[in-house]
Amino acid sequence: MRTPIIAGNWKMHLTLAEAGALVGPLRTDCDVDGVDVVVCPPCTALTTVVRALAGSRIGVGAQDVHWEPQGALTGEISPTMLVDIGCRYVIIGHSERRTLFGETDETVRRKLGAAVQHGLIAIVCIGETLAQREANQTFEVLERQLAGGLQDVSADTVQQVVLAYEPVWAIGTGRNATPDQAQEAHAKIRQWVGGRWGALVAQAIRIQYGGSVTAANAASLLQQPDVDGALVGGASLKADAFTAIVQAGQSRRAAARTAAGR
Ligand code: PGA
């Protein structure tokens, strides 16, 4: 049984004071059993948030990472540095990185390799644009992103990978994929994983949905059999909304247990 994973991507939001104000209630309400909860603050707030959540079950992740351990790379942050400050997760290949900052499947491949080598859990984002969906290219695009980005991942390191299906047209638009659209894409992604690493890995890998997830739509998305969690942008900036999404993740787990007769 897959443990649901709910991650909040704060993007380029929140000062230190604002981050502290958000993380207080999250520590109280989201330090729960049965679901992995992760917050991904901007790098300026990472250390503060790691400290504020010390001793809780809530994990902290970065929103990006470079593949080199150190170097003359102005503005970049290495996996070594993330591990050093207590980060356990990192988002890789978010569509904003791909479309606004020129990231490619090749940079995803390099970042992912470095992240897993340093023991981080990587949340790897894939997803099609609206034009690609309308041209019936969704699965072709997903396969290309998976094949390119995950090229070097082995049967051992795949345990450190969480996939996030994030249709670009759903991110920040208020137009989420329908539960059926999400399920269809997730099932295809799981099938691809099965073809690459076998049925056991396909059953174990967690695939999050991301794109306009809210407290109102989380439960219906998370009820889908292949939707194992959510990567949440806007709604992760509000403690009550994020907490409600975490609770929807808990209910998914409880429903799966009942279905399995445990
Ligand atoms: P959104 O962002 O929830 O604001 O649509 C999701 C994401 O970019 O991960």
Side-chain angles (χ1 to χ4, degrees):
M1 195 163 36
R2 300 183 290 272
T3 302
I5 175 165
I6 308 293
N9 174 8
W10 296 2
K11 307 193 180 184
M12 196 174 75
H13 292 289
L14 307 186
T15 62
L16 267 194
E18 289 164 346
L22 175 58
V23 95
L26 294 188
R27 187 177 173 121
T28 311
D29 298 329
C30 296
D31 180 10
V32 293
D33 244 355
V35 50
D36 290 343
V37 179
V38 182
V39 291
C40 301
C43 60
T44 46
L46 278 174
T47 301
T48 302
V49 171
V50 165
R51 285 190 188 140
L53 293 173
S56 83
R57 282 165 287 191
I58 304 174
V60 180
Q63 298 172 13
D64 188 20
V65 68
H66 196 271
W67 53 83
E68 294 291 345
Q70 74 273 309
L73 293 156
T74 301
E76 295 296 317
I77 297 192
S78 77
T80 325
M81 293 167 177
L82 294 182
V83 171
D84 180 47
I85 62 163
C87 272
R88 284 166 38 214
Y89 295 83
V90 61
I91 298 171
I92 294 178
H94 189 278
S95 78
E96 286 150 18
R97 301 291 327 160
R98 291 177 190 257
T99 57
L100 303 173
F101 301 98
E103 291 204 6
T104 60
D105 296 332
E106 171 59 14
T107 58
V108 170
R109 181 188 72 77
R110 289 184 175 210
K111 290 178 177 196
L112 179 55
V116 297
Q117 190 196 335
H118 287 86
L120 292 162
I121 296 174
I123 298 177
V124 181
C125 303
I126 55 174
E128 82 287 0
T129 63
L130 189 57
Q132 289 165 335
R133 174 163 282 267
E134 285 174 347
N136 279 325
Q137 292 168 350
T138 298
F139 302 119
E140 191 184 316
V141 170
L142 296 178
E143 278 179 18
R144 189 166 66 231
Q145 291 172 335
L146 287 164
L150 276 65
Q151 211 178 113
D152 301 337
V153 176
S154 68
D156 291 336
T157 53
V158 72
Q159 291 155 15
Q160 283 166 255
V161 176
V162 173
L163 295 173
Y165 169 60
E166 297 209 305
V168 178
W169 47 271
I171 296 176
T173 58
R175 176 186 170 193
N176 60 287
T178 64
D180 285 348
Q181 286 173 324
Q183 170 56 28
E184 186 187 25
H186 284 226
K188 290 273 189 190
I189 294 166
R190 199 176 299 287
Q191 199 179 10
W192 185 90
V193 169
R196 172 72 194 273
W197 292 288
L200 285 180
V201 171
Q203 274 315 305
I205 199 162
R206 293 179 296 177
I207 309 172
Q208 298 178 303
Y209 167 78
S212 297
V213 175
T214 62
N217 63 25
S220 63
L221 287 158
L222 288 164
Q223 265 159 23
Q224 299 303 310
D226 288 299
V227 178
D228 307 311
L231 181 53
V232 187
S236 73
L237 298 172
K238 299 209 167 65
D240 51 353
F242 190 67
T243 302
I245 296 167
V246 168
Q247 285 164 354
Q250 274 190 300
S251 310
R252 171 186 169 77
R253 168 90 174 189
R257 266 178 200 265
T258 310
R262 277 182 271 165

